[in-house]
Amino acid sequence: IVASDTTINNRANASLSIPLQDSHETCLQQILDDATYRGDQAAGSNTLGGSFDQVPSRAFVPHEAGYPAFFSVLAEDRATSQPTTSNLLTYVKTSPSARWKLASSSEILGPTNQGVAVPAAATDAEGYVTSVDPAASDGLMTAPDKVAARVAAAFTSEATSGRLPAGISAQFGPKNVADPHSIPASYAGVGTVTVQFTATTPATAAADAPSRDCPYPAIRLADGGALVTFAVFEKVVVHVRTGNVVVQPSDRSALGVLLPPGNYSSITMLAGDMGVAIVPPSGSRSPIEVIGQASEDLTETGVPGSGSSGSSGSGGLVDASSIAK
């Protein structure tokens, strides 16, 4: 299943074919990747880059008797000239005649490219894992369907203060590249920035509203905790300093590829972030730990403005490419 999915994904990436991509993806994964394709198409691209391979290393398969059915798998993501990373993939099948489709993919983060260790799942004698009721605490510190709201609040705080609140820890990748605080910091030379994370599904991703066909699995771990998948959404608003503008270049090759070339006094970006967290068993002193994330843009909008190009912290012109770096 993973091999077939990867083959179709590579073919779709090679041609930026949204119909082909939709044939193997569903739920939020499909919405985010379709937005990525539309952005690249608007930028004048006709391909997403080189091919990759996904090699499964561990499966999380619950014992199910009906549809929709799902399973997750931890896989190595291998691409030429790129570091090997680990991803948690979740597939869903809605009926006996339907095909398995990719519902979510999250990169396991950590101090190294391959991320941190994913804990062992509790399995029965046949090797099946146990699904935890998303709405029930069931021996956990918090119910799985409450994790997204906890993480969204924590990441919003982290973006502002640079510190996560008590009860939450997170892996942000090598050199903390995915740290929410890096978002406002990267725009410091442009103007003022607000960053807000939420667990509420925006209208642009309404098709992914929680449903039986779009699972966010919670899997019982051997220590009594749970491996929980979830989605949060982030809104970044950049207000350029008065009298200045941010320039979207004509090649539209970096930030805000859905924006027409021009000068803007503010830019608003909405992204979806699929995550993986370890929820400890109740009574534990350990925090909820976010070990995986994968963020992709949903929409970008801008307010046209007039004025001079502002200066970045290093003295260069502020344009989309320099901000993206």
Side-chain angles (χ1 to χ4, degrees):
I1 292 168
V2 174
S4 174
D5 169 65
T6 305
T7 297
I8 298 173
N9 200 344
N10 280 323
R11 288 173 51 208
N13 288 347
S15 60
L16 292 183
S17 170
I18 290 179
L20 186 57
Q21 178 164 258
D22 292 350
S23 73
H24 81 101
E25 291 185 347
T26 187
C27 301
L28 184 58
Q29 187 72 43
Q30 175 188 338
I31 293 169
L32 292 175
D33 284 345
D34 282 359
T36 296
Y37 276 22
R38 287 193 296 270
D40 282 318
Q41 290 168 350
S45 299
N46 55 20
T47 182
L48 199 60
S51 62
F52 67 101
D53 194 13
Q54 296 182 118
V55 182
S57 60
R58 199 188 324 168
F60 303 88
V61 183
H63 199 170
E64 298 172 299
Y67 294 93
F70 82 91
F71 72 92
S72 298
V73 61
L74 191 64
E76 290 187 348
D77 189 318
R78 302 173 181 174
T80 303
S81 302
Q82 297 290 332
T84 295
T85 60
S86 294
N87 291 342
L88 185 69
L89 314 172
T90 294
Y91 294 88
V92 64
K93 181 171 180 159
T94 56
S95 71
S97 59
R99 69 178 304 155
W100 288 100
K101 287 191 173 186
L102 182 66
S104 67
S105 172
S106 296
E107 183 177 348
I108 303 301
L109 301 177
T112 67
N113 285 310
Q114 293 202 45
V116 296
V118 177
T123 57
D124 63 19
E126 297 178 277
Y128 291 105
V129 300
T130 299
S131 296
V132 181
D133 182 353
S137 296
D138 195 16
L140 300 174
M141 180 181 292
T142 187
D145 65 3
K146 304 295 184 186
V147 170
R150 290 279 301 273
V151 171
F155 280 6
T156 298
S157 176
E158 163 78 7
T160 303
S161 68
R163 296 184 63 184
L164 286 167
I168 294 280
S169 67
Q171 295 289 341
F172 293 128
K175 299 181 181 180
N176 284 330
V177 292
D179 190 326
H181 188 58
S182 68
I183 300 173
S186 66
Y187 294 100
V190 179
T192 59
V193 187
T194 58
V195 180
Q196 181 74 42
F197 288 81
T198 179
T200 302
T201 305
T204 49
D208 189 54
S211 72
R212 295 177 67 247
D213 292 345
C214 291
Y216 291 109
I219 299 164
R220 181 71 69 186
L221 295 175
D223 68 356
L227 189 69
V228 175
T229 55
F230 63 92
V232 295
F233 302 88
E234 62 185 88
K235 182 178 181 180
V236 180
V237 182
V238 181
H239 292 284
V240 184
R241 287 189 301 272
T242 302
N244 294 310
V245 291
V246 62
V247 180
Q248 169 71 331
S250 58
D251 64 9
R252 301 167 75 177
S253 61
L255 174 70
V257 291
L258 296 181
L259 292 175
N263 299 338
Y264 294 91
S265 60
S266 71
I267 297 174
T268 299
M269 293 163 282
L270 181 65
D273 191 345
M274 288 180 285
V276 181
I278 300 170
V279 178
S282 58
S284 171
R285 294 184 179 181
S286 299
I288 295 172
E289 183 180 13
V290 180
I291 63 170
Q293 295 179 65
S295 184
E296 294 186 65
D297 281 350
L298 277 167
T299 61
E300 300 90 7
T301 56
V303 176
S306 59
S308 62
S309 297
S311 295
S312 68
S314 59
L317 288 178
V318 175
D319 60 21
S321 298
S322 64
I323 289 174
K325 292 178 182 176

